[in-house]
Amino acid sequence: MSAPARRRSAVLVFAVALSAYVAAVFHRSSLGVTGVDAADRFHINAATLATFSVAQLAVYAAMQVPVGVLLDRFGSRRLLITGGALMVAGQLCFALVTDVRLAIAARVLVGLGDATTFISVLRIITFWFPGRRNPMLVQLTGTLGQLGAVLGAVPLVALLHHAGWTPAFLTAAALGATALTTVAAAVRDTPHREHAAAPAPDSATVRRQLAAAWAQPGTRLGLWTHFVTQFSGSVFALLWGYPFLVQGQGMAPTAAASLLTLMTLAGLVAGPVVAQLCARHPYHRSALVLGVTAASAVVWTVVLAWPGRAPGWLLVVLVLVLAVNGPGSAIGFDYARTFNPASRIGSATGIVNVGGFVASIVLMLAVGVVLDLATPAGRSAPDLAAFRWAFAAQYALWALGAVQVLRYRNAARRLLHAAAAPAQPQPAPPPALARPAA
């Protein structure tokens, strides 16, 4: 294949794989703006509503390491097709059922399919594009993927209120089926015609592969980077932001959905900026991570401490700051790529991807429990005071994540300095350690 033809093929394969991730984000976020309607449809309280998203994200997080191993074995195309089919099945089920247990099972199917998608796209980037383009393309994937959240905000709310629950989620399933068809037609794992599938690894090989990825301090730095930067924006967008804006701040549903859309669009701008900063200052990526974390904590402090309902301009500032959470969390995947060879990039990326979703699960469930405890007796919906107590749970997660980022940043730097020291003979470091990584 000539170089121009390969570049065209790479762009096509990446674009189609990216469309699969856009669809996955749409499926993932479709509950976020329909939470109030879901509570009415299934006759559930805030804590039970939280279990819908918790079940979805718990499966997503639990599957990241197994999916990483499967990705190294079977390649991106098969996992994207399998994941797309699972998400379509989940949305079909969610459209039709009225039983709470079946609805939770539907969200589990969505979580299973979603778990295969993002890291499959990252593996395509690794095999189809030169390494120097990886940081920008990873950020581009994470950023453009959030267009799925745009589709899952105002258009889905409008369709839901105009046509009803079942037609809205049947439409969601149809969009997923379209993305699945294009993946099956266009995506290949590598630029080579033949996919050199690795032999099926035995359990000992899998354990060694995972242990090697985990042993790299940069992998754990990536995990805690993902943990500390993602959860606040993710929980706001996926479930509790819309009820907070509508029930706590008294906004109209369309205005609240528009703020969530603004958050997504701001992320489209923030992603390339974060990627450029990482490319120009690779040794200071952790400073950027801590800056994103601090900005999120500060703006939430102002919003939660504001007497009465926050003014509109402050809520705009809140969503603009939270928009940087997603691009900030993608720095964790750059750490995984830096510290691990391509042969175990799926396993390392899966480990990193666990971090933010574990934190999101904890916060999502905590907010639901606190809302139920803090809502005055006799009220059908939580008030602003209840939301203030609920979102205060974020501070414990920020503190834990920041401490761990500092811990593993220092460990990663010590490893790099030891590998570069000329006075002491050392085994040759992996190629990925050849440049600053923390």
Side-chain angles (χ1 to χ4, degrees):
M1 182 185 298
S2 66
R6 174 169 171 168
R7 284 194 295 269
R8 288 193 297 271
S9 295
V11 171
L12 175 62
V13 169
F14 172 67
V16 173
L18 178 60
S19 73
Y21 181 55
V22 171
V25 173
F26 169 70
H27 294 314
R28 182 195 306 168
S29 60
S30 59
L31 183 61
V33 294
T34 60
V36 175
D37 297 271
D40 292 336
R41 177 178 175 85
F42 298 104
H43 308 292
I44 53 178
N45 59 17
T48 306
L49 177 60
T51 62
F52 280 41
S53 289
V54 166
Q56 177 181 322
L57 293 185
V59 170
Y60 182 103
M63 287 300 296
Q64 284 307 297
V65 173
V67 166
V69 174
L70 292 172
L71 184 59
D72 289 334
R73 167 69 180 93
F74 294 108
S76 297
R77 184 177 184 274
R78 293 181 184 179
L79 265 65
L80 286 172
I81 292 173
T82 302
L86 288 170
M87 287 185 282
V88 169
Q91 293 289 52
L92 284 172
C93 182
F94 203 56
L96 300 173
V97 303
T98 56
D99 181 77
V100 172
R101 290 169 296 182
L102 292 176
I104 292 174
R107 300 319 295 180
V108 167
L109 288 176
V110 172
L112 281 171
D114 190 12
T116 69
T117 307
F118 183 64
I119 63 174
S120 295
V121 181
L122 297 192
R123 190 178 188 272
I124 284 173
I125 292 171
T126 299
F127 280 94
W128 279 89
F129 294 91
R132 68 182 182 277
R133 295 186 181 178
N134 263 258
M136 178 60 76
L137 289 173
V138 169
Q139 284 289 353
L140 193 64
T141 300
T143 300
L144 293 181
Q146 300 313 305
L147 290 172
V150 174
L151 295 174
V154 176
L156 185 60
V157 168
L159 182 60
L160 179 65
H161 292 165
H162 176 72
W165 181 276
T166 297
F169 281 93
L170 287 177
T171 301
L175 288 175
T178 301
L180 173 61
T181 302
T182 59
V183 167
V187 169
R188 299 203 314 272
D189 293 301
T190 73
H192 310 292
R193 290 293 179 184
E194 306 84 7
H195 170 62
D202 56 28
S203 59
T205 301
V206 170
R207 287 195 299 269
R208 284 196 300 270
Q209 187 178 41
L210 291 173
W214 180 254
Q216 293 292 346
T219 302
R220 281 174 279 179
L221 175 58
L223 181 147
W224 287 106
T225 291
H226 202 256
F227 178 102
V228 77
T229 51
Q230 191 207 41
F231 67 82
S232 186
S234 179
V235 169
F236 192 87
L238 291 179
L239 185 61
W240 291 122
Y242 185 82
F244 169 72
L245 295 172
V246 173
Q247 297 173 333
Q249 297 294 337
M251 297 186 71
T254 53
S258 297
L259 266 187
L260 293 177
T261 301
L262 175 63
M263 178 177 166
T264 302
L265 296 176
L268 297 177
V269 177
V273 174
V274 170
Q276 284 294 330
L277 290 173
C278 290
R280 293 182 181 181
H281 309 284
Y283 201 68
H284 299 289
R285 286 175 289 182
S286 57
L288 181 58
V289 169
L290 296 172
V292 170
T293 303
S296 300
V298 168
V299 73
W300 265 116
T301 299
V302 176
V303 169
L304 297 179
W306 195 273
R309 291 174 174 172
W313 66 264
L314 181 56
L315 295 176
V316 170
V317 172
L318 173 66
V319 300
L320 291 178
V321 171
L322 293 182
V324 189
N325 284 192
S329 69
I331 298 173
F333 301 114
D334 202 35
Y335 286 132
R337 180 189 60 83
T338 300
F339 278 84
N340 293 275
S343 60
R344 63 168 185 256
I345 196 67
S347 299
T349 303
I351 291 172
V352 169
N353 211 18
V354 168
F357 288 96
V358 167
S360 297
I361 289 166
V362 172
L363 180 61
M364 200 170 286
L365 190 56
V367 169
V369 171
V370 175
L371 282 177
D372 281 340
L373 293 175
T375 299
R379 287 184 61 97
S380 59
D383 57 11
L384 181 56
F387 277 107
R388 284 173 171 157
W389 283 110
F391 278 108
Q394 296 178 104
Y395 293 96
L397 296 174
W398 279 319
L400 172 62
V403 168
Q404 293 294 82
V405 166
L406 290 171
R407 175 186 176 188
Y408 285 107
R409 178 186 71 174
N410 294 336
R413 288 181 174 178
R414 286 195 298 269
L415 178 64
L416 289 171
H417 292 158
Q424 299 178 355
Q426 297 286 340
L433 298 183
R435 65 175 187 157

